Amino acid sequence: MTEAATARRSRITPEREAELYGAVLDLLREVGYDALTMDAVAARTRSSKATLYRQWGGKPELVAKAIRHNKPGSIDDVDTGTLRGDLQALTSREDDCTMQQNAALMRGLFMAVHANPDLLQAFKELLIEPEMAEFHRVVQRAVDRGEVRADCPALDYVVHMLVGAFATRTLIDDRPPTQEFLSSYIDAVVLPALGAPVG
Amino acid sequence: MTEAATARRSRITPEREAELYGAVLDLLREVGYDALTMDAVAARTRSSKATLYRQWGGKPELVAKAIRHNKPGSIDDVDTGTLRGDLQALTSREDDCTMQQNAALMRGLFMAVHANPDLLQAFKELLIEPEMAEFHRVVQRAVDRGEVRADCPALDYVVHMLVGAFATRTLIDDRPPTQEFLSSYIDAVVLPALGAPVG
């Protein structure tokens, strides 16, 4: 951030900033990126549009900041001793409500991120990478333990399997993703594809 | 369709209607549903907005009709004798260009379909069900042949595996889905999850 930007940003309290970012994420879930207007953000947060533009420059910057701000902190390492135990523990850490909020946010951003590299980066940082780094760690430990063969071709597709099921659940079944769904999918698809024990 | 609607629609030639629907799908791929305006459709197709509204009633109706119009006809049954052969044949029938067009269309509609049941229906009819009915048929034949156990839990998730990988490829790897990707994913994930022979 430039010094000028820091000076501009310092006028707003951290609490107010968090509140504003929360409202932006709510709007993203409700209407999606393309339909989200600075007018709506101003109305929802009782700010003036002039303030929003002065502080953030524009919609892409504001949305990217809001996503980054909401990025979860470092998560405790999960280590149950089996791949199944680890994957089930990772997916049950997020309650169904959070999971559905993230699914709605993913839908709201799915088109826009392909046209906006900065948004794509923020989106990956929030919704894809933190969880996926953790999934890669538990899978690597399963390889180290000999539960999964190091040359198993499905190792390249752990993220596709999990994010794909999460992202398409509502579309295919008219039901949002839940812990129960992901748990069943891990046992039915992810572990067998990796050749790891299910039971 | 009501008689009045049929009378209104009959003023436009089938060629002109197809051209117009093609332009709507192009715009959907380019900007997505929310950012698609009737002004843009009018400009792209050299129609008047008044004509568009008179003929279709509004944006959701026009988009749903355009998607339905483009719905592929019945596809020849694939039957190679093995599940692997059938799945590979099904995915190689669509060339990479068509696949990328469908991925773009899916992105353009992903948010909107959740807010609009008629669009969701049209979207499923075009992009999900025709292919998936075919996938279910080849998988059922594999069960009948004894290649896949009838109680294999992954049978419930064939669509999630395939559509999920297709829909998330660009997001995860910054590359569009291709025949080569789907072919590799089928061997690495789908067949092992179903317990079917890969080689």
Side-chain angles (χ1 to χ4, degrees):
Chain A
M1 202 185 289
T2 64
E3 278 181 56
T6 310
R8 283 202 308 274
R9 299 286 301 288
S10 65
R11 286 183 209 158
I12 197 171
T13 66
E15 292 73 22
R16 176 72 178 137
E17 199 174 356
E19 185 191 345
L20 206 139
Y21 291 148
V24 170
L25 294 183
D26 284 343
L27 279 167
L28 276 176
R29 293 183 189 107
E30 291 163 27
V31 303
Y33 180 83
D34 286 322
L36 181 147
T37 63
M38 293 296 262
D39 280 318
V41 175
R44 179 78 61 104
T45 61
R46 289 172 200 163
S47 320
S48 76
K49 254 171 73 173
T51 305
L52 295 178
Y53 279 105
R54 195 175 59 240
Q55 297 265 356
W56 283 278
K59 180 169 117 172
E61 294 82 0
L62 173 58
V63 168
K65 288 268 184 208
I67 295 172
R68 288 216 175 84
H69 183 82
N70 195 44
K71 188 178 169 178
S74 69
I75 33 189
D76 288 342
D77 202 26
V78 160
D79 194 357
T80 65
T82 67
L83 180 58
R84 180 171 192 262
D86 284 358
L87 289 178
Q88 297 289 1
L90 281 176
T91 51
S92 63
R93 218 164 31 177
E94 203 168 68
D95 66 30
D96 285 350
C97 179
T98 308
M99 212 178 273
Q100 284 156 38
Q101 285 192 331
N102 282 343
L105 193 55
M106 187 175 280
R107 282 199 298 275
L109 289 164
F110 212 61
M111 177 76 195
V113 296
H114 286 278
N116 189 319
D118 194 46
L119 267 191
L120 176 61
Q121 195 52 40
F123 177 77
K124 284 187 150 180
E125 284 175 16
L126 171 69
L127 285 173
I128 310 279
E129 283 164 11
E131 308 245 344
M132 292 310 140
E134 193 83 354
F135 281 112
H136 281 306
R137 265 199 298 280
V138 307
V139 169
Q140 184 55 49
R141 271 205 311 262
V143 171
D144 296 342
R145 277 193 305 263
E147 254 190 292
V148 175
R149 290 173 52 139
D151 62 353
C152 175
L155 286 170
D156 289 337
Y157 299 121
V158 174
V159 183
H160 302 79
M161 284 190 261
L162 285 162
V163 177
F166 178 81
T168 55
R169 169 65 163 176
T170 310
L171 191 64
I172 293 169
D173 304 303
D174 292 323
R175 276 179 289 179
T178 59
Q179 283 182 13
E180 190 187 351
F181 165 68
L182 282 183
S183 170
S184 159
Y185 185 82
I186 286 167
D187 283 355
V189 172
V190 182
L191 295 170
L194 289 166
V198 172
Chain B
M1 202 185 287
T2 65
E3 279 182 55
T6 309
R8 280 203 307 276
R9 300 286 300 288
S10 64
R11 286 182 210 159
I12 196 172
T13 66
E15 294 72 24
R16 176 71 179 137
E17 199 174 355
E19 185 190 346
L20 206 138
Y21 292 148
V24 170
L25 294 183
D26 284 344
L27 278 167
L28 276 176
R29 294 182 188 109
E30 290 164 26
V31 304
Y33 180 83
D34 286 322
L36 181 147
T37 63
M38 293 297 261
D39 280 318
V41 175
R44 180 77 62 104
T45 61
R46 288 172 202 163
S47 320
S48 77
K49 253 171 71 172
T51 304
L52 295 178
Y53 278 105
R54 196 177 57 242
Q55 297 266 355
W56 285 277
K59 180 168 117 172
E61 294 83 359
L62 174 57
V63 168
K65 287 269 184 207
I67 295 172
R68 288 217 175 82
H69 183 81
N70 195 44
K71 187 176 168 179
S74 69
I75 34 191
D76 287 341
D77 203 25
V78 160
D79 193 359
T80 66
T82 67
L83 180 58
R84 179 170 193 262
D86 284 358
L87 289 179
Q88 298 288 1
L90 282 176
T91 51
S92 64
R93 217 167 29 177
E94 202 168 72
D95 66 28
D96 286 351
C97 179
T98 308
M99 211 178 275
Q100 284 155 39
Q101 285 192 331
N102 282 343
L105 194 55
M106 187 176 278
R107 281 198 299 275
L109 289 164
F110 212 63
M111 176 77 195
V113 295
H114 286 279
N116 190 319
D118 193 46
L119 266 192
L120 176 61
Q121 196 50 42
F123 177 78
K124 283 186 152 181
E125 284 175 14
L126 171 69
L127 284 173
I128 309 280
E129 282 163 13
E131 307 246 343
M132 292 310 138
E134 193 82 357
F135 281 113
H136 282 306
R137 266 199 297 281
V138 307
V139 169
Q140 184 55 49
R141 271 206 311 264
V143 171
D144 297 341
R145 277 193 305 261
E147 256 191 290
V148 175
R149 290 174 52 141
D151 63 353
C152 176
L155 285 170
D156 290 337
Y157 299 121
V158 174
V159 183
H160 302 80
M161 285 190 261
L162 285 162
V163 176
F166 179 80
T168 55
R169 169 65 162 177
T170 311
L171 192 64
I172 293 168
D173 303 304
D174 293 324
R175 275 177 290 177
T178 58
Q179 284 184 12
E180 189 187 350
F181 164 69
L182 283 183
S183 170
S184 160
Y185 185 82
I186 285 167
D187 283 354
V189 171
V190 181
L191 295 170
L194 290 166
V198 173

